Amino acid sequence: MDEYNRFVDWEKMDVTAQTQDPKELTSTEFQELKQLARQGYWAKNHSLRAKVYHKLINNIPCRTVTPDANVYRDIVAKITGKRNSGSLPLPEFVDNSLVPTYCLNAEGIGAVRKIILCIANQFPDISFCPALPSVTALLLHYSKDEAECFEKVCRILACNDPSKRLIDQTFLAFESSCMTFGDLVNKYCQAAHKLMVAVSEDVLEVYSDWQRWLFGELPMIYIARVFDVFLVEGYKVLYRVALALLKFFHKVRAGQPMESDSIQQDIRSFVRDIAQSVPPERLLEKAFAIRLFSRKEIQLLQMANEKALQQKGITVKQKSYSFSMFFIVFLRQNVHLAVHAENFKSEIVSVKEMRDIWSWIPERFALCQPLLLFTTLEHGCSLSRFYSHSEGHEPTLLLIKTTVKEVCGAYLSTDWSERRRGGNKLSFFGTGECFVFRLQPEVERYEWVIIKHPELAMSVSKPENHATPASSTLSSSGVPSDPSDRLSPFLSARHFNLPSKTASMFMAGSSECIIIGGGDGQALYLDADLNHGRTSHCNTFNNQPLCSESFQISVLEVWGFMD
């Protein structure tokens, strides 16, 4: 370890976790590297991990002119001067982030600040990068000197492969990642999400901490294992581990009183002390057991969230995190203020119930305010008027109150005008972001079995007299349109190996009826007069039915999303 222990305080390291067994890494195949990283092949050999990091980072495709070790040697004295390195001020773009010491010695702690200042000098386009101190401190462990660590960090920052996202470097990218994480939590950690909604005023503020859990609170031995896989598989790994942390937090703390007045502080404390309850191997096992969507789908979702923020005035030039975070939180809380007795009126749901619904919708639309588009009390029970008032709006929210006081509804991701693609035949469209819910007699959100259990998709039986549907996320030529213009940029049914004739079976409409659901487990069916409806839950839900199998509609409302 002599080569790589200059900055390490070995008295603080768990030496028992290290081994001197000679190991080499000869594999260059991605799948084999992926398995070795997940298994921790180089985790117990400090020197081997350093060599692996060097190899992996050198293989990152970078800009033609990327600062290297020689650049650092040329500029470090000019930038840092003779000041005490331990007291050097950090650049604004790290926003006073936690600077983990990760068992570094005094020289190493000072070196982190020197390296970050030199990076700020060479990367003037970075406007927000709170993960940088953690990444720098970690890589210093596995570098021979400061210059080598500087070069490694620069290569990560200068990656120019559009398909390989590594570290967020603008506030826009960071905040959209927080929104994307919120969407993933809503999809994969519903119990934890329900807790967040119950105990916090704004869930986005809680989810904006997700990178801090990893690059700040997580102990050294854990983040090193995460970073092993991150260098091989990329950004998606970070989402996986953060979701696993939230799942474990909910499992360990379920039913226990909060330790502080802030759920944010409780989660930070849990992550900081995670060694008391979850070993690194178990954390990674949990993370990779999550059936997450593909890298491309997550990238498209991130692009959609970025576009939503840009439309709200958040740009890549924004440098003040405190102001920007206030602005984002204000926007989201402003929706909650809009869903208030003074300026919100529904004959079906209360203010609290609408807020519950708002906590389930994708984060990029939670920035919007609810807008009543159609109600049977004002516009009558006409399906044609339903369509005329709903078309041109994407997404929409359908609310139904039955004559026996049951309340249910659906979040519908796609414009109802898509129904015309099937001509006169009933054809299905929409994406997997659609969901149905029940508010009375009790609150329940239902996921499609196709989405939660993709392995069951092939068993969906073919509906009769249905035209082959056109996915709402594809153009007529079958080629995806501009991804940034797509409402639901991931989760269309084509990603779940559905037979072509049952693809995109989430919503359908004709002059005779509306169907929300599909396959052999149609969830919600409304007649043309909007007076009567039916439900089915034979294969669609694992829980109680949405409402009565056959019901009379008392009131029906359609809500849009107003910027």
Side-chain angles (χ1 to χ4, degrees):
M1 294 182 200
D2 292 343
E3 229 180 346
Y4 299 100
N5 72 349
R6 173 179 170 182
F7 303 106
V8 182
D9 186 342
W10 285 102
E11 292 183 0
K12 297 179 181 178
M13 291 282 285
D14 182 6
V15 182
T16 60
Q18 297 293 311
T19 176
Q20 299 300 321
D21 294 343
K23 280 185 176 182
E24 295 295 332
L25 184 70
T26 58
S27 174
T28 58
E29 294 294 327
F30 173 75
Q31 287 300 329
E32 189 172 351
L33 280 174
K34 177 178 172 180
Q35 290 305 315
L36 292 174
R38 291 187 179 192
Q39 293 166 6
Y41 179 80
W42 52 79
K44 293 186 178 181
N45 189 307
H46 192 270
S47 179
L48 178 61
R49 178 180 263 157
K51 293 174 182 176
V52 171
Y53 279 10
H54 182 78
K55 180 177 181 179
L56 293 174
I57 292 174
N58 272 1
N59 287 335
I60 294 174
C62 295
R63 304 170 193 166
T64 304
V65 180
T66 297
D68 58 14
N70 289 328
V71 170
Y72 182 81
R73 296 186 184 100
D74 289 342
I75 67 174
V76 62
K78 300 173 187 176
I79 293 174
T80 61
K82 297 181 179 180
R83 291 175 292 178
N84 182 338
S85 59
S87 61
L88 290 171
L90 291 174
E92 182 183 354
F93 63 68
V94 299
D95 186 51
N96 296 319
S97 303
L98 292 178
V99 183
T101 59
Y102 290 150
C103 304
L104 293 172
N105 56 28
E107 182 184 5
I109 293 172
V112 170
R113 290 180 174 268
K114 291 166 64 178
I115 293 168
I116 291 175
L117 282 175
C118 289
I119 287 172
N121 175 267
Q122 294 295 302
F123 290 84
D125 53 334
I126 295 180
S127 61
F128 195 76
C129 192
L132 186 58
S134 173
V135 171
T136 305
L138 181 63
L139 288 177
L140 197 57
H141 260 269
Y142 305 102
S143 302
K144 297 175 184 177
D145 55 32
E146 295 173 15
E148 182 180 301
C149 179
F150 170 84
E151 181 173 328
K152 287 176 179 175
V153 179
C154 286
R155 290 193 65 83
I156 290 174
L157 292 171
C159 175
N160 63 357
D161 183 349
S163 66
K164 191 169 186 177
R165 178 179 181 170
L166 292 177
I167 296 179
D168 295 330
Q169 299 174 46
T170 66
F171 180 80
L172 178 63
F174 170 79
E175 189 58 32
S176 64
S177 79
C178 297
M179 294 170 67
T180 301
F181 179 70
D183 288 328
L184 296 175
V185 173
N186 204 353
K187 208 71 172 171
Y188 296 103
C189 308
Q190 291 182 27
H193 180 69
K194 189 174 183 180
L195 174 64
M196 300 302 115
V197 172
V199 301
S200 63
E201 292 185 1
D202 189 80
V203 292
L204 182 57
E205 190 175 3
V206 176
Y207 297 149
S208 292
D209 246 11
W210 81 277
Q211 287 196 28
R212 175 175 173 144
W213 304 341
L214 304 175
F215 297 113
E217 306 293 356
L218 208 57
M220 157 86 185
I221 190 174
Y222 288 77
I223 188 58
R225 287 295 305 275
V226 173
F227 208 75
D228 291 346
V229 191
F230 167 73
L231 285 178
V232 177
E233 300 186 42
Y235 200 90
K236 181 179 174 182
V237 170
L238 305 182
Y239 284 131
R240 285 188 176 278
V241 176
L243 289 170
L245 286 171
L246 201 57
K247 281 178 175 286
F248 277 121
F249 171 79
H250 180 262
K251 180 179 180 181
V252 172
R253 297 289 177 84
Q256 298 181 14
M258 290 178 60
E259 294 183 353
S260 70
D261 294 332
S262 167
I263 189 69
Q264 282 179 287
Q265 294 299 329
D266 276 14
I267 297 175
R268 290 175 185 177
S269 176
F270 171 79
V271 175
R272 197 161 47 242
D273 300 326
I274 194 171
Q276 298 177 9
S277 54
V278 184
E281 295 76 15
R282 182 73 186 100
L283 177 63
L284 290 179
E285 180 184 333
K286 186 76 167 179
F288 293 113
I290 299 171
R291 192 185 292 272
L292 205 59
F293 300 104
S294 73
R295 185 183 295 108
K296 182 178 180 181
E297 291 166 316
I298 291 177
Q299 184 181 21
L300 290 172
L301 178 60
Q302 182 101 5
M303 290 170 62
N305 284 330
E306 284 191 8
K307 183 173 181 179
L309 287 170
Q310 287 174 321
Q311 291 173 342
K312 293 294 182 180
I314 301 297
T315 71
V316 294
K317 296 179 180 179
Q318 183 66 55
K319 291 187 177 182
S320 172
Y321 174 69
S322 57
F323 172 78
S324 298
M325 192 63 230
F326 168 79
F327 185 53
I328 292 293
V329 171
F330 170 76
L331 283 172
R332 207 177 192 297
Q333 288 183 336
N334 193 43
V335 173
H336 286 250
L337 292 174
V339 186
H340 192 271
E342 294 180 359
N343 46 20
F344 171 78
K345 181 174 176 58
S346 168
E347 298 299 326
I348 299 178
V349 298
S350 66
V351 173
K352 180 183 181 306
E353 288 170 330
M354 195 61 157
R355 288 178 177 175
D356 286 339
I357 297 169
W358 228 251
S359 72
W360 297 331
I361 65 176
E363 288 289 349
R364 62 190 183 280
F365 297 117
L367 299 176
C368 302
Q369 299 180 24
L371 173 68
L372 184 62
L373 302 176
F374 174 86
T375 170
T376 52
L377 294 180
E378 179 181 344
H379 303 105
C381 299
S382 165
L383 189 54
S384 62
R385 282 197 290 272
F386 170 95
Y387 288 137
S388 66
H389 284 270
S390 301
E391 287 178 5
H393 294 270
E394 189 178 84
T396 53
L397 193 68
L398 175 69
L399 298 176
I400 297 171
K401 184 176 184 179
T402 72
T403 54
V404 292
K405 309 299 184 183
E406 296 171 314
V407 175
C408 62
Y411 171 82
L412 304 169
S413 67
T414 307
D415 192 327
W416 278 105
S417 63
E418 289 287 325
R419 76 187 191 281
R420 298 198 186 97
R421 290 197 177 196
N424 294 324
K425 297 180 180 180
L426 183 68
S427 62
F428 285 82
F429 53 97
T431 73
E433 283 188 324
C434 296
F435 63 85
V436 294
F437 54 87
R438 181 183 68 211
L439 296 176
Q440 297 290 345
E442 60 186 36
V443 178
E444 185 72 51
R445 175 189 169 183
Y446 300 95
E447 290 279 356
W448 304 118
V449 71
I450 289 174
I451 296 302
K452 287 193 84 171
H453 305 287
E455 69 276 6
L456 300 182
M458 294 303 295
S459 66
V460 177
S461 62
K462 296 180 180 180
E464 297 180 2
N465 300 322
H466 285 179
T468 302
S471 171
S472 64
T473 59
L474 293 179
S475 66
S476 58
S477 63
V479 179
S481 57
D482 178 3
S484 65
D485 289 332
R486 286 155 56 166
L487 166 71
S488 303
F490 77 142
L491 296 181
S492 85
R494 70 182 187 280
H495 298 299
F496 296 99
N497 298 318
L498 285 170
S500 61
K501 290 192 176 181
T502 54
S504 299
M505 298 192 64
F506 300 101
M507 52 191 289
S510 69
S511 59
E512 299 177 354
C513 67
I514 286 174
I515 302 175
I516 301 168
D520 57 355
Q522 293 174 1
L524 187 61
Y525 179 101
L526 303 181
D527 290 338
D529 60 7
L530 297 183
N531 280 319
H532 180 261
R534 303 190 299 277
T535 63
S536 171
H537 65 285
C538 55
N539 285 324
T540 308
F541 309 127
N542 295 325
N543 301 302
Q544 295 299 314
L546 189 62
C547 61
S548 301
E549 199 166 312
S550 179
F551 58 87
Q552 295 293 324
I553 297 174
S554 173
V555 186
L556 183 148
E557 295 176 349
V558 179
W559 290 80
F561 294 74
M562 180 175 62
D563 291 337

